[in-house]
Amino acid sequence: MSRILLKAFLGLLMRVLYRPKIEGAGHIAESGPVILAGNHTTFVDSLFLALVVKRQVFFIGKDEYVTGKGLKGRLMAWFFGASGMIPVDRDGGNGGVAALMTGRRVLDEGKVFGIYPEGTRSPDGRLYRGRTGIARLTLMTGAPVVPFAMIGTEKVQPSGRGLPRIAPVTVRFGEPLDFSRYEGMDRDRYVLRAVTDEVMSEVMRLSGQEYVDMYATKAKAA
C-alpha cells in the first residue's frame, strides 16, 4: 500500500514536472527475475527508475537512510522502504558480500533488482569501470540483465545542490543480455570481467557517456 501511494503521488508529480521520456520499457519481462543495470550520476536516479518501471524495483541503499531518529527519521525510513530500498551496511568489512547475497535473494524470489555496476555515483558525469558483482549475480541466478541509461538526471540534481531542478529526463532500456553460456563459471575472474565489461559497453551505448577504464571510487580519491 505504501508503494502504491508513493508511486501514485510521485508518479503524478514527476509526469507533470519532468515529463520523462521512457524508451525500451518493453524489454523488462512482466514476470520472473530481472537485473536492471545502469549508470549512476545523481541521487535521484533510483527514484526515477522506481517510478518509470511498472514492476517494483528493489535496490541496495545505505542503512543510515532508515536509522534516523525522530519524525524525520521515521519519514525517511517509510519513504525509502516504500520505494524499494533494502538497507545494507556497505561500510562494514562484509558489506560487499551482504549486498551480493541480498541481490541474490531478491532475484531468487523472482523479483526485479536494480544495480549500479560502477558501485558509486560518477564524480564527473563520465561512465566508469564496472565492478564484477553484477556478473556474479547474473551467473548465480540465471537472471537476464537489462541495461539502462539515465540521461539528464545530473541536471535535475547537480552535485552539491540539495533541491532538484526542472530538466528533461530520458530513461532508456536496452535489450536483455543473456549470459547462460557462462553457467557455472561464477568464480572465474576472467569470465566475471568479460560479463561486466559487456554490460558496461551496453550502458555506454545507451547513455552516450565517455567511458573511463578506472573505478569511480579511485577517481574520487584522486
Side-chain angles (χ1 to χ4, degrees):
M1 182 61 70
S2 294
R3 173 181 174 268
I4 293 172
L5 291 174
L6 181 66
K7 192 164 186 175
F9 173 72
L10 288 182
L12 176 61
L13 187 65
M14 179 188 71
R15 286 192 295 272
V16 171
L17 295 178
Y18 296 99
R19 299 181 180 180
K21 184 178 181 181
I22 307 168
E23 301 177 2
H27 292 311
I28 304 172
E30 295 183 359
S31 62
V34 176
I35 300 171
L36 299 179
N39 60 332
H40 194 20
T41 59
T42 185
F43 177 79
V44 298
D45 290 335
S46 296
L47 184 58
F48 273 95
L49 183 65
L51 292 174
V52 303
V53 176
K54 290 182 179 180
R55 297 176 63 184
Q56 183 169 14
V57 181
F58 294 88
F59 55 94
I60 297 297
K62 295 180 180 179
D63 60 350
E64 63 191 58
Y65 292 152
V66 298
T67 56
K69 305 296 183 181
L71 178 61
K72 180 180 178 181
R74 289 195 295 272
L75 287 174
M76 288 183 64
W78 174 84
F79 175 82
F80 286 111
S83 65
M85 192 199 86
I86 302 174
V88 170
D89 180 8
R90 297 184 301 176
D91 295 328
N94 296 319
V97 175
L100 186 66
M101 291 301 101
T102 299
R104 182 175 185 174
R105 175 173 58 80
V106 170
L107 294 167
D108 285 342
E109 293 174 355
K111 299 175 181 178
V112 180
F113 186 69
I115 186 172
Y116 302 110
E118 292 170 279
T120 186
R121 279 172 270 176
S122 169
D124 54 16
R126 296 184 294 176
L127 186 69
Y128 284 81
R129 195 179 199 212
R131 295 189 176 275
T132 57
I134 175 68
R136 291 183 185 278
L137 275 179
T138 185
L139 297 186
M140 286 192 301
T141 64
V145 178
V146 175
F148 70 87
M150 290 287 176
I151 303 170
T153 53
E154 76 283 355
K155 296 176 182 176
V156 172
Q157 192 177 41
S159 179
R161 293 183 176 271
L163 294 176
R165 296 175 172 177
I166 305 300
V169 171
T170 297
V171 186
R172 182 176 295 148
F173 298 94
E175 295 185 4
L177 303 175
D178 177 18
F179 296 103
S180 58
R181 61 189 183 276
Y182 296 123
E183 184 179 359
M185 303 177 71
D186 58 281
R187 293 184 179 277
D188 187 315
R189 63 190 182 97
Y190 296 106
V191 169
L192 294 176
R193 176 44 55 192
V195 169
T196 303
D197 287 348
E198 185 173 338
V199 172
M200 297 309 291
S201 177
E202 280 299 296
V203 173
M204 180 180 66
R205 183 184 66 81
L206 293 168
S207 69
Q209 291 170 283
E210 177 186 349
Y211 180 74
V212 182
D213 192 19
M214 174 193 297
Y215 291 123
T217 50
K218 199 170 187 177
K220 286 182 177 181

